[in-house]
């Protein structure tokens, strides 16, 4: 017979469906706020999904308990045929723009405010709130009894469009505001504390009024914008009809807000910042009593609305100027676009005293930064050749002031990008420049195109040297094949040839090569060996001793090896290991130069792309001429017979060398591994066969231990080499 414990605690009673639904909604809303607003999630996604699924199940079983503020109703509306009109009870007015983008714009505003308020020079500075001016879409959110009931665009300021279903998909926007049963709302104070703590203490616990319209900006984060455009590009590549990429985040955000299907709007991953209120229950009818605009923002923050962390209190013009300059420096590093900052008189009493002029508030101003996008005309398209031989199409533009500078050139990146944007000579285009980023053509206005505008095509020859321009399979860029001959690539070719792992010319660095090429002392590699003491001594900061040292280094470099010489030629895709395999396999340079692609493919480290690159290089007559001239200058190496095809002890094995070995330098160890048929990689992966660890081995050793890769010392390596 079972024994009953009379004193045991009774088992907890399962929560009634209504109670559990309320618990789940509150918990999910709290987690969503931490994730989407505070960026501080406290549970894994899988746990959130489990709670969400439980709520969906309960609501399906009890449809009478389903409410519009449930987290499950973020994307639940049916597609609309059109948007209804909404008349704003409090007009959504525009703010005056300060056209002076320099610091004097803030000074001008402060001067006007002080004059309006009748302040003397000796009076204390006016306190302002300095905010960011987001480059998005203005929005009004109407809450009744704490529930989001309507969202409307600005429209003409008096009448906007009802976009409630789409705005409900933005997870940063609360569907339900805290009530008295939830306990007192609290702002999450910034690390600096201070002003936020003081302001909130003076406000106390404030709950949302019966009616309130929250005004703010719908925008798209740059990362979400790039992800959206990447998806669009994939659709276009797959042949989808009617798809396009978006010009900028604002364009994409505006399109998302005005989608007739809320499910489509949800895919845009829109965001929101609050910065004010419209209609609100007055104080005499139970509405909140705010003394300052900053208190209002902190209260909105305590109710779950995102407020930009950069928002600051500012005392007088000096601090406004500092804010404008600071945000200007940080503008390009923000995760979203801004086109200026906004200054508002903090005291609401002073705002009421100052009033409005021609429907613009006297107490606020938008202080803009130089525009990052402007319209201009394409005068021509030129192809530039970079130091490494990359061909880049560049649009030559009618001069336009954008991003703080006058722009006359904008990159088109490559042929695919130029074709995708379909940029043609004579087109009217949108040009963008942000910070130090190279200006680029964002899009074309096809309706302004000339009827006979030719389609752009990449040249088949390098515009600098006339060598063949090739585009390898799987690559976006065209490249000049005249690396040893092309004037655009001289500096890079010389520096590569002089590298310590190539023929090694000690003392021939970047600055000296710059001088030699810019002064036309050197045009091709053989010119290095024709340098004399007089020519060198005439260069800036080149004393006789330095000149003599360089001449000695040049003489010494004439005695090299075939692998070093091959590597020094700078053939695309031919690194040190491949150069060694080519030298071992063919034995002589002439054999390599005359080898067919089929013969090159017999080399263990050469695939189709590398074979084609080698063949293309030596098919250029001027490249062969440079090689012959270098030989004539006395550059020489030992040659031998092709190596036997017998397998070598480390063939097919990959090594990573880390730390300091007892007797071998890393370069020596690498050379010996490669000579025995092995490969030396720079990082540890599952494909690594051995990690050779010496003294003070670091993260690579740890990684090898984690992956279970064999770890050996120098003695063990030497034993493998001797097999």
């Amino acid at each position: 017979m079972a024994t009953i414990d009379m004193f045991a605690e009774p088992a907890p009673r399962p929560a009634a469906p209504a109670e559990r639904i309320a618990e789940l909604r509150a918990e999910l809303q709290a987690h969503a706020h931490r994730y989407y607003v505070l960026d501080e999630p406290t549970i894994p996604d899988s746990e959130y999904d489990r709670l969400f699924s439980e709520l969906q199940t309960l609501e399906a079983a009890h449809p009478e308990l389903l409410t519009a503020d449930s987290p499950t109703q973020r994307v639940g509306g049916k597609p609309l045929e059109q948007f209804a009109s909404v008349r704003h009870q409090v007009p959504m007015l525009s703010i005056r723009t300060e056209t002076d983008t320099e610091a004097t714009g803030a000074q001008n505003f402060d001067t006007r405010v002080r004059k309006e308020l009748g302040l003397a020079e000796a009076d204390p500075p006016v306190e302002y709130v300095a905010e960011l001016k987001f480059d998005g879409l203005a929005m009004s959110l109407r809450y009744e009894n704490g529930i989001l009931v309507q969202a409307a665009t600005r429209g003409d300021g008096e009448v906007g469009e009802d976009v409630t279903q789409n705005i409900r998909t933005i997870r940063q926007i609360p569907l339900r505001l805290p009530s008295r049963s939830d306990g007192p709302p609290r702002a999450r104070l910034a690390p600096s504390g201070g002003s936020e703590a003081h302001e909130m203490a003076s406000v106390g616990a404030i709950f949302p009024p019966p009616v309130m319209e929250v005004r703010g900006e719908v925008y798209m984060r740059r990362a979400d914008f790039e992800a959206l455009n990447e998806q669009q590009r994939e659709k276009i590549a797959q042949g989808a009809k009617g798809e396009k990429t978006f010009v900028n985040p604002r364009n994409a955000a505006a399109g998302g807000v005005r989608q007739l299907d809320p499910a489509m709007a949800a895919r845009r991953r829109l965001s929101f910042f609050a910065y004010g209120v419209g209609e609100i229950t007055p104080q005499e009818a139970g509405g909140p009593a705010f003394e300052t605009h900053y208190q209002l923002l902190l209260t909105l923050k305590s109710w779950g609305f995102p407020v930009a962390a950069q928002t600051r209190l500012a005392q007088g013009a000096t601090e406004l100027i500092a804010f404008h300059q600071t945000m200007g420096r940080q503008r390009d590093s923000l995760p979203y676009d801004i086109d200026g900052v906004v200054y508002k008189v903090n005291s609401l009493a002073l705002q009421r005293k100052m009033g409005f002029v021609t429907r613009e508030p006297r107490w606020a101003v938008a202080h803009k930064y130089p525009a990052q996008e402007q319209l201009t005309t394409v005068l021509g398209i030129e192809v530039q050749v970079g130091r490494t031989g990359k061909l880049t199409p560049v649009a030559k533009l009618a001069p336009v002031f954008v991003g703080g500078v006058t722009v006359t050139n904008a990159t088109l990146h490559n042929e695919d990008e130029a074709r995708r944007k379909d940029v043609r000579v004579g087109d009217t285009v949108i040009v963008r420049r942000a910070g130090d980023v190279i200006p680029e053509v964002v899009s074309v206005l096809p309706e302004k195109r000339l009827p006979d505008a030719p389609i752009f095509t990449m040249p088949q020859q390098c515009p600098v040297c006339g060598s063949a321009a090739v585009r390898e399979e799987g690559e976006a860029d065209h490249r000049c094949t005249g690396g040893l001959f092309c004037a655009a690539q001289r500096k890079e070719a010389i520096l590569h040839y002089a590298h310590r792992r190539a023929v090694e010319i000690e003392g021939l660095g970047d600055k000296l090569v710059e001088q030699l090429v810019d002064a036309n002392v050197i045009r091709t590699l053989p010119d290095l060996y024709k340098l004399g003491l007089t020519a060198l001594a005439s260069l800036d900061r080149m004393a006789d001793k330095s000149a003599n040292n360089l001449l000695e280094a040049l003489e010494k470099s004439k005695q090299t090896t075939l692998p070093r010489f091959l590597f020094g030629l700078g053939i695309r895709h031919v690194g040190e290991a491949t150069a060694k395999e080519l030298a071992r396999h063919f034995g002589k340079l002439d054999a390599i130069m005359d080898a067919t692609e089929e013969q090159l493919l017999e080399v263990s480290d050469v695939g189709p792309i590398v074979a084609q690159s080698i063949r293309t290089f030596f098919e250029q007559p001027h490249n062969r001429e440079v090689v012959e001239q270098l030989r004539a200058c006395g550059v020489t190496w030992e040659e031998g017979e092709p190596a036997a095809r017998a397998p070598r002890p480390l063939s097919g094995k990959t090594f990573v060398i880390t730390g300091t070995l007892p007797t071998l330098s890393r370069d020596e160890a690498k050379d010996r591994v490669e000579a025995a048929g092995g490969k030396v990689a720079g990082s540890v992966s599952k494909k690594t066969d051995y990690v050779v660890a010496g003294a003070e081995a670091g993260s690579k050793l740890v990684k090898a231990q984690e992956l279970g890769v064999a770890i050996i010392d120098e003695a063990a390596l030497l034993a493998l080499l001797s097999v």
Side-chain angles (χ1 to χ4, degrees), residues 510-674:
D510 294 41
K511 292 182 179 179
L512 183 54
V513 168
E514 193 95 15
Q515 285 191 71
L516 290 167
V517 173
D518 290 347
N520 274 328
V521 175
I522 293 179
R523 291 181 178 83
T524 64
L525 288 179
D527 291 339
L528 284 170
Y529 296 103
K530 300 171 187 176
L531 285 172
L533 186 61
T534 303
L536 287 173
S538 66
L539 298 174
D540 290 344
R541 300 179 182 178
M542 177 62 76
D544 287 350
K545 183 177 181 181
S546 299
N548 275 313
N549 289 341
L550 178 59
L551 293 174
E552 289 176 7
L554 283 163
E555 191 63 30
K556 181 180 177 182
S557 72
K558 290 180 179 179
Q559 301 299 317
T560 185
T561 65
L562 180 54
R564 281 176 171 267
F565 183 78
L566 271 175
F567 177 56
L569 292 179
I571 304 169
R572 186 159 168 76
H573 301 305
V574 175
E576 295 176 66
T578 303
K580 290 172 182 175
E581 285 299 311
L582 288 165
R584 189 189 70 83
H585 183 91
F586 290 100
K588 298 179 181 180
L589 178 62
D590 288 339
I592 299 170
M593 294 171 67
D594 295 334
T596 64
E597 286 191 32
E598 290 73 19
Q599 290 171 326
L600 289 167
L601 287 171
E602 294 176 4
V603 181
S604 62
D605 201 36
V606 173
I609 292 176
V610 179
Q612 183 183 28
S613 179
I614 297 168
R615 189 69 253 128
T616 301
F617 181 88
F618 286 119
E619 282 176 350
Q620 301 300 311
H622 44 252
N623 286 338
R624 284 179 170 263
E625 177 63 24
V626 168
V627 171
E628 293 310 315
Q629 287 185 25
L630 287 170
R631 280 171 157 169
C633 288
V635 179
T636 185
W637 53 86
E638 287 187 10
E639 293 190 332
E641 295 302 316
R645 300 292 177 88
R648 289 175 290 166
L650 301 186
S651 292
K653 302 296 183 183
T654 300
F655 291 73
V656 171
I657 303 168
T658 181
T660 304
L661 302 182
T663 64
L664 297 175
S665 70
R666 288 214 197 167
D667 286 345
E668 289 171 335
K670 179 180 179 182
D671 288 341
R672 296 188 66 170
V673 168
E674 290 175 344

Side-chain angles (χ1 to χ4, degrees), residues 35 40 102 118 124 317 368 372 430 446 474 502 530 582 626 707:
Y35 186 96
E40 291 182 356
E102 300 303 320
K368 300 194 76 172
Q372 292 181 307
I430 298 173
K530 300 171 187 176
L582 288 165
V626 168
L707 295 176

